[in-house]
Amino acid sequence: MKFGEFGGQFVPEVLIPPLKELEKAYETLKEDEEFKKELDYYLKVYAGRPTPLYFARNLTEYVGGARIYLKREDLLHSGAHKINNTIGQALLAKYMGKSRLIAETGAGQHGVATAIAGALFGLKTEVYMGSEDVERQKPNVFRMKLLGASVIPVESGSRTLKDAINEALRDWVATFEYTHYLIGSVVGPHPYPTIVRDFQSVIGRETKVQIMELEERLPDCIVACVGGGSNAMGIFYPFARDSNVRLVGVEAAGKGLETGKHSASLCAGKKGVLHGMLSYFLQDDDGQIATTHSVAAGLDYPGVGPEHAWMKETGRAEYVAVDDSEALEAFSLLSRLEGIIPALESAHAIAYAVKLAEEMSRDEIIVVNLSGRGDKDLEIVMNLLG
Amino acid sequence: MSFKDAHASVYPKTPWLVTFVTAGDPSPELTLKFMLALEKHSDIIELGIPFSDPMADGPTIQKANVRALKAGTKVKDVFEIVRNFREYSSKPVILMTYYNIVYARGVENFLREAKDCGATGVIVVDLPVEESEEYLRACEKTGMDTVFLAAPNTPDDRLRVIDEVSSAFVYLVSLYGTTGAREELPETAFKAITRAKSVCRKPVCVGFGVSKKEHVKALIDAGADGVVVGSAIVRLIEEFGEGAAEKIEEFVSELRKGLEKS
């Protein structure tokens, strides 16, 4: 299953059978009433779904354009949307009879969400994390350990997220019989981009119902930040066929697209193949994958999910980039105006939504996916803003 | 000329010793020297094109990739190394890399350049048969030989397809894991050889974890047509750097003894 030419299964032969096993299990379980009931139960009473769709009155008044709504994924247990996927996949692993979870993490948010799901379902959890990131994200390392997971520092390559994925894949090649690799975004070989999209689509499904209740119509525009792209795909996908709803993905322009120090693979990358998928990647002329930068660690990845690549190619969604300083400004703005401290990742979406709303009329509606809360970023922001 | 005759005109008689180094490790200049050291006692040289994200490789070859890229090794340098090697040797050279390296250049362009510099074939570690339609067409067009990977968990029907599309040989991965020298050969290797040999018509070469003469012998005795040794050689480069050529030659000549029929 591909998204146009994107996606696929570009993996060593040994991983083909476990990917087939996963695909088969998922296709069966997603229709299984018991599985669906259990997933809904945990999303509701454990993770805290549904999350509110909040009309940001103060921000709307301040901007003086379109009405801005925030989908409050930041209110979920663990503080971000990541848990929608980790609960789903951990449950999938349990139904498949796997006893161990492995995951990659950059900033540690997906690692923490996986550790939570591992603790909840009694699965041994090991998280690969670049040694650079282990240093930079000590509180999350501690959180994961507290939650009973082991954190394995990755010393290879650039010692960041992409290397953690490589290392998790290396582990999985040797352990797939009893291990589920719980990928944290809509990336990786098929069926992962589909599985993660489906588990995250609860965001968009709820948004659709909520906006109909509140406004009796669909929004004009949906804005979400894009690293690998899971929160964006989660809110975009249920609106994919509503062609009047404009979908905007916001990548990290880091220190500026012209500096090369960014993570905007759709805006500035080229087609390529990594981590099992054909998609857009930041790379040099030889195809060596670039190192990336963003103030938001969760966006700091040189690739993007294949379905986003396809949405870009078909024009169904548009992709833009917001730099570190604009994101920091939005971080402060939302904190001050609404009393909501957004994750630096989500602040990218806020920053662009503010720009868009300004140009739109007062009877138009924008929904921003507020994918996570900013407590985890306080130290970084303190150092930057003083 | 039949396939068999064509094959025999390029490749020596089995069993083969296939040996590997990463191009550019620790510098492009030294690679030719190492290849010539390998060449004396090897049947086929496998030359790795370094990649930033070698996800099927264990620590030894990962580090070799890092060293090669740090030395500034570009893909065009690798082609140049093969071109220079051709002045000294006609032995088959199989390039081993990851698909993004091939894709970034344009699949057909990459293969044409590889062919022009004198490479014999290509192994793309992360390109399974399902994704290889364009690649296979371009290989045929440019006359590059193909080697696909098979694993201990590859079912018979897939093995058959892999055998079909591999024109040089089938590369059978001996175990569940990444490349890297190991003390003991895994049980999975022997079962996999028996099954692969019952299904495949092309030569079956076994790699991953092979590091000693005894391993070579055991695998050949089990029916393998060839054995691939990589990390154990790369380890010598890691340890001895510039001076590794002599050690490599000595080591490969020792491995070679494992091919002799007992």
Side-chain angles (χ1 to χ4, degrees):
Chain A
M1 150 110 193
K2 290 204 182 185
F3 311 102
E5 67 173 307
F6 301 103
Q9 279 181 339
F10 295 87
V11 292
E13 180 63 29
V14 64
L15 284 182
I16 297 286
L19 286 170
K20 286 197 165 159
E21 181 200 357
L22 176 62
E23 182 179 9
K24 206 173 145 209
Y26 176 66
E27 289 303 321
T28 313
L29 284 172
K30 77 175 188 188
E31 308 297 342
D32 184 279
E33 289 308 319
E34 197 190 333
F35 178 82
K36 285 199 286 190
K37 222 171 100 187
E38 203 172 343
L39 177 60
D40 283 347
Y41 170 80
Y42 284 108
L43 287 178
K44 186 176 167 194
V45 303
Y46 185 79
R49 302 214 69 92
T51 58
L53 183 67
Y54 165 70
F55 174 54
R57 183 181 307 277
N58 299 339
L59 184 65
T60 299
E61 273 173 21
Y62 172 85
V63 175
R67 298 164 64 77
I68 302 170
Y69 281 87
L70 305 176
K71 179 61 175 165
R72 298 290 310 274
E73 293 298 293
D74 61 316
L75 292 176
L76 286 172
H77 175 44
S78 84
H81 73 289
K82 292 286 184 193
I83 199 165
N84 300 325
N85 172 49
T86 59
I87 287 186
Q89 281 198 52
L91 198 59
L92 184 60
K94 204 179 121 184
Y95 273 70
M96 285 174 76
K98 308 282 176 182
S99 59
R100 175 176 176 257
L101 298 176
I102 53 171
E104 80 291 343
T105 198
Q109 293 308 106
H110 173 58
V112 168
T114 304
I116 287 172
L120 177 63
F121 295 116
L123 300 164
K124 184 173 187 229
T125 304
E126 294 181 52
V127 180
Y128 287 94
M129 187 170 188
S131 58
E132 283 277 307
D133 292 329
V134 170
E135 267 313 299
R136 287 191 292 193
Q137 309 287 341
K138 282 188 184 139
N140 271 341
V141 173
F142 184 70
R143 241 170 237 140
M144 285 184 265
K145 288 181 181 166
L146 199 59
L147 292 159
S150 333
V151 177
I152 308 170
V154 176
E155 301 289 351
S156 60
S158 60
R159 297 172 192 164
T160 56
L161 176 59
K162 78 174 174 69
D163 309 284
I165 296 180
N166 293 334
E167 209 53 41
L169 284 165
R170 290 180 188 120
D171 179 314
W172 202 40
V173 161
T175 61
F176 56 79
E177 261 181 52
Y178 57 92
T179 299
H180 175 68
Y181 177 18
L182 206 164
I183 290 187
S185 191
V186 286
V187 299
H190 175 71
Y192 280 107
T194 303
I195 291 178
V196 179
R197 175 198 73 199
D198 290 354
F199 285 139
Q200 291 294 0
S201 288
V202 66
I203 306 173
R205 285 197 306 271
E206 281 176 14
T207 302
K208 210 169 193 174
V209 172
Q210 290 165 323
I211 198 74
M212 289 306 289
E213 275 169 13
L214 292 161
E215 295 274 358
E216 292 176 348
R217 69 178 187 89
L218 295 180
D220 298 284
C221 183
I222 296 177
V223 182
C225 64
V226 177
S230 70
N231 90 78
M233 193 50 69
I235 196 163
F236 286 180
Y237 187 68
F239 292 91
R241 286 185 184 164
D242 302 306
S243 55
N244 292 330
V245 181
R246 187 176 165 195
L247 306 175
V248 183
V250 185
E251 294 192 306
K255 297 186 170 161
L257 292 185
E258 68 292 345
T259 65
K261 288 178 177 155
H262 59 79
S263 313
S265 32
L266 285 167
C267 292
K270 282 185 306 188
K271 284 183 207 171
V273 173
L274 183 73
H275 296 151
M277 58 179 173
L278 198 159
S279 188
Y280 280 83
F281 294 94
L282 297 169
Q283 54 184 311
D284 71 9
D285 289 344
D286 265 357
Q288 308 295 353
I289 302 302
T291 49
T292 54
H293 165 81
S294 169
V295 68
L299 303 181
D300 206 350
Y301 176 65
V304 67
E307 197 163 9
H308 283 294
W310 188 61
M311 281 189 165
K312 174 192 159 90
E313 195 111 319
T314 56
R316 178 59 195 97
E318 57 201 281
Y319 296 88
V320 296
V322 154
D323 68 23
D324 287 353
S325 61
E326 292 171 292
L328 282 164
E329 226 170 277
F331 181 91
S332 300
L333 186 71
L334 195 72
S335 302
R336 203 169 61 239
L337 289 179
E338 295 289 353
I340 297 171
I341 303 174
L344 278 172
E345 291 78 11
S346 323
H348 285 72
I350 299 287
Y352 198 77
V354 165
K355 282 195 219 177
L356 276 177
E358 271 173 2
E359 293 158 16
M360 293 165 71
S361 73
R362 284 165 190 271
D363 54 2
E364 289 184 291
I365 302 166
I366 289 190
V367 175
V368 184
N369 195 12
L370 195 65
S371 55
R373 67 170 186 238
D375 308 46
K376 68 180 178 65
D377 298 316
L378 292 183
E379 201 182 318
I380 297 166
V381 178
M382 262 192 294
N383 289 337
L384 288 170
L385 298 182
Chain B
M1 196 159 53
S2 76
F3 169 78
K4 221 170 173 172
D5 297 338
H7 200 270
S9 74
V10 178
Y11 300 93
K13 264 183 73 176
T14 56
W16 298 332
L17 179 60
V18 184
T19 52
F20 171 93
V21 285
T22 301
D25 169 30
S27 72
E29 296 72 39
L30 282 171
T31 302
L32 178 64
K33 211 170 149 191
F34 296 155
M35 286 174 80
L36 293 173
L38 293 176
E39 195 259 3
K40 293 192 185 132
H41 304 286
S42 305
D43 300 287
I44 298 173
I45 310 282
E46 206 185 299
L47 184 64
I49 303 179
F51 180 47
S52 53
D53 294 79
M55 67 70 108
D57 284 300
T60 306
I61 295 180
Q62 283 174 43
K63 282 187 260 172
N65 279 275
V66 171
R67 287 193 296 269
L69 291 174
K70 261 207 182 124
T73 309
K74 305 284 287 177
V75 177
K76 66 170 174 28
D77 300 329
V78 182
F79 292 146
E80 201 48 41
I81 290 168
V82 179
R83 202 181 307 273
N84 291 333
F85 178 78
R86 277 288 165 257
E87 305 209 347
Y88 302 91
S89 171
S90 60
K91 286 194 176 165
V93 174
I94 309 278
L95 298 172
M96 179 166 194
T97 194
Y98 290 80
Y99 193 50
N100 202 45
I101 297 292
V102 178
Y103 186 87
R105 245 177 164 72
V107 176
E108 198 180 316
N109 263 337
F110 175 93
L111 293 167
R112 198 172 299 284
E113 281 183 79
K115 181 76 186 176
D116 288 348
C117 75
T120 319
V122 185
I123 303 175
V124 188
V125 184
D126 56 349
L127 188 70
V129 178
E130 283 84 350
E131 305 290 356
S132 65
E133 201 184 312
E134 182 191 6
Y135 171 80
L136 283 172
R137 217 179 311 124
C139 282
E140 190 156 359
K141 202 165 155 192
T142 54
M144 281 304 275
D145 279 353
T146 52
V147 176
F148 281 79
L149 269 65
N153 59 342
T154 306
D156 284 1
D157 55 336
R158 282 188 70 82
L159 263 177
R160 227 163 265 130
V161 179
I162 288 164
D163 180 54
E164 191 75 30
V165 296
S166 299
S167 62
F169 58 88
V170 172
Y171 189 133
L172 179 64
V173 172
S174 69
L175 47 75
Y176 298 115
T178 52
T179 59
R182 283 149 175 99
E183 269 308 301
E184 302 279 326
L185 286 175
E187 209 34 54
T188 47
F190 298 99
K191 284 187 194 146
I193 292 172
T194 309
R195 202 158 55 81
K197 281 306 290 176
S198 74
V199 173
C200 300
R201 293 171 307 135
K202 310 286 167 51
V204 173
C205 295
V206 182
F208 283 40
V210 187
S211 66
K212 305 177 188 174
K213 176 180 74 183
E214 292 74 23
H215 293 168
V216 175
K217 183 168 169 28
L219 293 168
I220 297 295
D221 285 349
D225 299 299
V227 174
V228 189
V229 181
S231 297
I233 293 164
V234 172
R235 220 160 46 179
L236 294 173
I237 298 175
E238 184 178 358
E239 191 176 343
F240 298 103
E242 285 187 29
E246 219 170 276
K247 305 276 177 192
I248 290 174
E249 194 183 326
E250 211 173 287
F251 177 63
V252 176
S253 104
E254 185 64 18
L255 287 174
R256 177 102 215 157
K257 292 181 189 155
L259 289 190
E260 288 159 12
K261 286 276 170 206
S262 49

